[in-house]
Amino acid sequence: MTPDILAELKKPFGTLIPDAQVTKERVLGEIKGAPKMVAVGDATTERLISFGMTPDVSVVDGQERRGRRSPPSFQAKELKCRNPAGTISKAAVQVLKKALSAKGPVRVLVDGEEDLLALPVFAMAPDGSAVLYGQPLEGLVVVRVDAEKRKKAKDLMDRIGLQD
């Protein structure tokens, strides 16, 4: 990945809620009216569940800042995919598409790394969906999917390239 892509990926894609200000009320205010709530990341999923909020789709890999951990457990249909670190695999995109169209909570367990998988979620989630992910050592990012976010995500995915 080129330095310009990495720099772009380090910027929050949506509203950054600093760690000290992440509360159930604040998150509920940011996601109000969203047709889908998608959590990308183990810590993000765990935080939402601790607030009594079950994501429609959760994308986890059993890692947090490169350390192994148990993926958050909750009642959900489970789908699995492989996605090597620093990539977006075609297989992961297909599983995410299936998860986004499913009824009820779905947990996508990634063998590899889920870090870049927010991009295909931005590209495929219904308009108005709320996608939440962690900004390391800063806070929680809430993205409301719209045509602009979808275009930006697709552009970044084109520049990164899908892996087989």
Side-chain angles (χ1 to χ4, degrees):
M1 239 186 296
T2 62
D4 64 312
I5 292 173
L6 285 172
E8 203 162 336
L9 290 171
K10 287 183 195 251
K11 293 183 222 159
F13 230 76
T15 302
L16 173 64
I17 305 171
D19 270 327
Q21 297 173 25
V22 177
T23 63
K24 179 178 182 176
E25 293 72 24
R26 177 77 192 267
V27 173
L28 282 171
E30 293 288 340
I31 68 167
K32 187 176 182 176
K36 287 253 185 218
M37 177 176 55
V38 181
V40 179
D42 295 70
T44 299
T45 299
E46 204 162 66
R47 186 177 250 173
L48 291 172
I49 291 169
S50 77
F51 291 157
M53 302 163 66
T54 302
D56 295 299
V57 178
S58 173
V59 185
V60 297
D61 62 7
Q63 293 186 63
E64 191 171 345
R65 286 195 234 132
R66 307 290 183 247
R68 296 295 307 158
R69 58 163 287 163
S70 294
S73 181
F74 59 99
Q75 283 295 107
K77 176 180 178 180
E78 188 165 278
L79 299 176
K80 295 182 179 184
C81 66
R82 178 143 173 63
N83 191 69
T87 66
I88 299 172
S89 71
K90 289 178 185 173
V93 171
Q94 290 307 309
V95 168
L96 290 171
K97 183 183 269 187
K98 187 175 179 180
L100 287 165
S101 65
K103 291 237 185 272
V106 178
R107 181 172 82 153
V108 176
L109 189 55
V110 179
D111 175 13
E113 189 177 85
E114 100 293 270
D115 295 13
L116 294 177
L117 296 183
L119 291 173
V121 171
F122 299 147
M124 297 185 297
D127 276 350
S129 293
V131 182
L132 300 92
Y133 67 90
Q135 188 77 10
L137 306 175
E138 290 188 52
L140 183 68
V141 178
V142 181
V143 179
R144 292 304 286 258
V145 175
D146 60 19
E148 180 186 323
K149 297 283 191 303
R150 187 169 282 113
K151 182 181 181 328
K152 183 178 176 184
K154 286 179 179 177
D155 175 59
L156 278 165
M157 287 171 60
D158 287 346
R159 289 164 56 202
I160 293 167
L162 291 181
Q163 305 295 315
D164 287 326

